[in-house]
Amino acid sequence: MTTWTTTPARPDTPDAVTLLGEYMEEMVRRYHRRPAGPGEVEAALAELPSDDLAQPTGILLLAHHDGRLAGCAGLRFRPDWAELTRVYVRTPWRGTGGGAVLLAAVEEQARAAGADRIRLDTRADLVEARALYARHGYVEIPAFNDGQYAEHWFEKTLPTRVDDARPAR
């Protein structure tokens, strides 16, 4: 039986740096529809830093599949809500439930931090991400930011307790 686990990590730890670099490489490659050029990933990481994905302003979760580093997701804490960012699952583990595990874990963290909803923005070319969010109850909303790369905005209202998420009998 395979298992997924998530653990918080500072964005400057070696595993987090590795995953955030891979995430940004994919974002650059897909946006430009070509391999990332020299220095492009580093420039993107500098333009869109992840250093705030640590307490008290946020959290970064690393996902492991059977003990192997497999993905990440981050939250930035806002008053009453949290912003989901840096959702990434390494290619060998895509389609094995890692995205769902990461979403459940960040939702739990957001609730624990007092957030009543999670918002995110994403791009049109990230069709797999948009499908993942929709499958897990995120709905498209009007723009809540003017991010340079934002083309779709989503939100999910969080139940106040995990028990509230269960259907009524």
Side-chain angles (χ1 to χ4, degrees), residues 47-105:
E47 177 187 356
L48 301 167
S50 299
D51 55 340
D52 59 345
L53 300 179
Q55 295 292 344
T57 56
I59 191 166
L60 180 67
L61 297 177
L62 303 185
H64 291 81
H65 184 267
D66 288 339
R68 297 183 67 195
L69 188 63
C72 63
L75 285 176
R76 291 188 176 101
F77 300 129
R78 311 292 190 207
D80 301 323
W81 60 282
E83 179 184 4
L84 180 61
T85 188
R86 307 299 190 264
V87 178
Y88 174 71
V89 176
R90 285 175 146 176
T91 303
W93 294 283
R94 291 184 184 171
T96 65
V101 167
L102 282 162
L103 289 180

Side-chain angles (χ1 to χ4, degrees), residues 4 11 28 52 74 82 136 152 162:
W4 280 96
V28 169
D52 59 345
H136 291 277
H152 294 268
V162 173

